[in-house]
Amino acid sequence: AKRIYMKRKCALFFFLFAFFAFTETNSADGKATAAATSALGEDEVENAVKVLSHILDAKTAKELASVGSVFLYKYKNADMKNELTPSSLLMKKITASFSESDLAPVFLMEGLYLYKKENDKPVDVSKILRNISGLEGLTYYSHTRGKMRTLYTKSFTVKETGNGNKTVYEKIPDALEGEADGLKISAWQEDLTFGGYVYGYEYFTDGASCGMVCRNKETVLYSVFNIKVISPENLRIIFAVHDMEGFLAVYCRTEADFTKLPGLEKKLKNSFSSRAEALYTWFIGEYKKSAFRRDERF
């Protein structure tokens, strides 16, 4: 039994090592993609700092306005508290939806992006974030492989139905209509590393601002060795878009609890930042499409 346990532990280590190695991207050094922000002039930076100071401390607001992105990573720290969370009504609504004590993360990643709007056309951010099927085929660039890779091979909204003692998920259209605030949906998403699982999404709004919380509803396994990687509800992803006077301030947070293994900090940092950056780049692309679309429909 001991030999089997050791084999499984070794297999898990090499699996996670390979996973994080192969998801290394151009965000490895903590720099954002070119989509993070347009180059701001001195006056624009000053204006952005004033706008951002409503939700961020002075130091973070200045750095975000000047650079376009700010990141924080923690792995197995004594203090795993978040430090970049905006003090906005939107984030208060989001964090009130879960207890900070219901997850004891060994990994935490926070990121802030600043995007300067190119026009004043109103865009329904909630419809972009509710467009789960739009994530299918989402790609990112892997420096390790030297090419673009697909993050989600499948992504769509599902409805949970009962079938005796077994839960069945039926594919349904994305929930683009109606009120987004308080909306809860389930989604089937499949990636090249872990396979397909059901995730829960919950949405929150404050005026034109909108955010979502994603959690894994199922145990994430490495199927080859049938090893549990992440238990249900032990992966939490937050993506919040603050619509602010000519700018979008986007906050993303990933926190997870999983098997603690040595030597993985850099791989974890690269992997989760690449996924967050891919989601952000996708969002900005969709936002631009909506902002410049003549048709008012999404």
Side-chain angles (χ1 to χ4, degrees), residues 3 25 44 51 55 90 97-98 141 148 153 173 177 192 211-212 222 225 236 243 255 279:
R3 291 181 64 184
T25 71
E44 291 176 311
V51 172
I55 62 172
L90 176 63
S97 70
F98 55 81
Y141 183 78
M148 298 299 293
T153 56
E177 303 302 324
L192 295 176
M212 66 183 186
Y222 177 39
F225 295 97
R236 183 161 58 211
D243 193 321
E255 45 196 348
L279 180 59

Side-chain angles (χ1 to χ4, degrees), residues 62-82:
K62 185 175 182 180
E63 183 178 357
L64 182 57
S66 301
V67 182
S69 60
V70 180
F71 296 95
L72 177 144
Y73 306 89
K74 292 183 180 180
Y75 178 57
K76 298 194 298 183
N77 288 18
D79 178 11
M80 293 297 294
K81 292 182 180 179
N82 55 80

Side-chain angles (χ1 to χ4, degrees), residues 218-250:
E218 301 178 302
T219 299
V220 178
L221 301 172
Y222 177 39
S223 58
V224 175
F225 295 97
N226 198 34
I227 298 173
K228 180 173 72 175
V229 179
I230 306 176
S231 298
E233 305 292 329
N234 276 7
L235 171 65
R236 183 161 58 211
I237 299 171
I238 297 173
F239 192 88
V241 182
H242 297 82
D243 193 321
M244 306 180 67
E245 303 174 38
F247 297 93
L248 297 180
V250 181

